[in-house]
Amino acid sequence: MNLKINVPKNPALAVKMLINAGFEAGVVGGCTRDAIIGEIPHDWDICTSATPVEIQLVFKEFKQLTIGLKHGTVIIIIDNEQIEITTYRIDGEYSDGRRPDEVAFTRNLLEDLSRRDYTQNAIFFNEFVGIIDPFNGVLDIENKIIRCVGNPNKRLQEDALRILRGIRFASKLGFEIEKATKTAMFENKELLKNVSEERITEEFVKILQGKDALNILDEFKEIIAFIIPETKAMMGLNQHNPYHVYDVWEHTLVAVNNTDGLILKLAMFFHDIGKPSCFSIDEQGLGHFYGHADVSFKIASEIFKRMKMTCAQGISGNDLTHILELIKYHDVIIEPRKKSVKKMLSKLNGNVEQFQRLLSVKRADALAQSPDKLTDKLKQIEDIEVILMEVLAENPCTTLKDLAINGNDLIELGIPAGKKIGEILNQLLEDVINENLPNEKELLLTVVQKYMNYR
Ligand code: ATP
Ligand code: MG
């Protein structure tokens, strides 16, 4: 095989030093896969026949981190770059369907490559021997196929997380999962109960962001329903409504596909999860989902906690609050008028970015409904966007912070500190947003004084 991989300077140096010291060494795993696919690897993992102690000796002049030593990994720092070097390994028995009971080191590369999950992840390279690819991973990459190394049933039973890793690669790369591997994924899906929520969530979030998420989530919906059981009732739920051309599940996936970025994709994935429990059908045979946004909000909050969503890469607690807010308001009508836009902006605590996200949610939602009236709906969203800009140019008052008077002003008027102050300020804010009062200090104070005299 004359495929050449351009390994950057620092990992190439580490490989060379190991080889010069008489060991085998090369890059392996995700980096080799990504390089062959033509993507830039995010890190370069090195594997070697040297034992951890031997690795430490070879790099004795370099700073080292030994946190992974038990698993055979030594991290070497070259030019401030951390490089992971792992001894060839054989995984022992898997009795918990997740982690090998023990790992044993080996001098045999083939044994190390055999323990890896998919053929595309079991390719070794160094510039002296070239590619070593005993399971034809390169061919599978060329044919865009994801295939387990060895017997898929056995491999997925050893570690059920591999099921989700495989689905993630398919979603990210737009590859097909080979038939026997796919069958084994479905047959062993229940073993995912042995995998921690954190790891499931990490994979789920990546699956959601893949370029082929739309097809893959649908193809593997039984597995998604296993990890998020609340989705099951969405699948095949006919909406009995001319506004909809898709069932709730298909609508959800198309909506996810119509957005960019994790916050919006998560918001779309969960925005209608409350629909199944809100479904009713009227005398004309039309389907309705009254109150579903609030129910979706509640169900999604529970799921996010259970799935430990903030442990996933790229999601903060703040992001989750925003996602839940988008779910809650996805169906609220915003009219293309200043007053209505200001009201919504106020509900979102004046957060303009969140307002824009809400418009993206509405756009994605509309695009996943019937094409009938779609142009009107999109036009309206565009109009709202224009009005939002106009409103912002006027420096609008949308939160208590923007109000021309504050609690101290009211205390000076003789109103005792306490709950009443908040009530009055909120009432004034509402009147200002509704354009019943201008946001001017003197005037607002006069209004409060009048109110006090009336009491
Ligand atoms: P990513 O792009 O997310 O880093 P990756 O395939 O590199 O994908 P890592 O977790 O970095 O994933 O693992 C590095 C390599 O270790 C993999 O390419 C694979 O060879 C092996 N590996 C990782 N997890 C497993 C697993 N659960 N079972 C078997 N082999 C695994
Ligand atoms: Mg990796």
Side-chain angles (χ1 to χ4, degrees), residues 196-209 217 224 227-231 262-271 273 296-297 299-324 327:
S196 73
E197 285 288 350
E198 287 92 330
R199 303 193 85 132
I200 289 180
T201 300
E202 203 179 319
E203 294 300 336
F204 168 70
V205 158
K206 289 181 182 165
I207 294 169
L208 201 60
Q209 295 176 91
L217 287 166
I224 301 301
I227 58 172
I228 312 174
E230 292 87 344
T231 57
L262 187 50
I263 292 184
L264 291 176
K265 285 192 186 288
L266 278 168
M268 290 336 283
F269 188 85
F270 291 102
H271 80 288
I273 201 152
S296 294
F297 170 86
I299 297 176
S301 314
E302 285 158 14
I303 294 175
F304 290 174
K305 264 190 224 120
R306 184 182 72 219
M307 291 186 79
K308 306 199 168 82
M309 203 56 97
T310 44
C311 295
Q313 206 179 16
I315 313 177
S316 66
N318 218 5
D319 292 337
L320 277 196
T321 309
H322 286 142
I323 293 166
L324 288 169
I327 294 172

Side-chain angles (χ1 to χ4, degrees), residues 113-139:
L113 295 179
S114 312
R115 74 168 169 92
R116 295 175 184 272
D117 51 2
Y118 293 98
T119 61
Q120 59 176 7
N121 294 339
I123 306 168
F124 171 100
F125 171 84
N126 74 30
E127 59 178 309
F128 307 100
V129 297
I131 296 265
I132 296 185
D133 177 22
F135 306 105
N136 295 319
V138 176
L139 190 65

Side-chain angles (χ1 to χ4, degrees), residues 117-118 146-148 152-157 159-171 176-192 207 216 219-220 222-224 226:
D117 51 2
Y118 293 98
I146 290 165
R147 184 196 312 268
C148 271
N153 241 326
K154 181 166 167 285
R155 302 313 310 284
L156 300 182
Q157 280 164 11
D159 176 3
L161 180 68
R162 291 171 186 159
I163 298 172
L164 296 183
R165 280 176 52 86
I167 296 174
R168 183 240 294 187
F169 294 127
S171 175
E176 284 271 318
I177 297 182
E178 173 270 336
K179 199 157 159 269
T181 300
K182 181 170 162 178
T183 307
M185 285 177 164
F186 284 115
E187 276 176 8
N188 293 296
K189 67 175 188 296
E190 268 144 47
L191 295 177
L192 280 163
I207 294 169
I216 292 296
E219 188 174 352
F220 293 91
E222 282 171 44
I223 294 175
I224 301 301
F226 186 79

Side-chain angles (χ1 to χ4, degrees), residues 271 274 278 291-300 327-330:
H271 80 288
C278 295
H292 79 274
D294 284 329
V295 179
S296 294
F297 170 86
K298 205 165 141 271
I299 297 176
I327 294 172
K328 188 171 168 162
Y329 293 141
H330 78 266

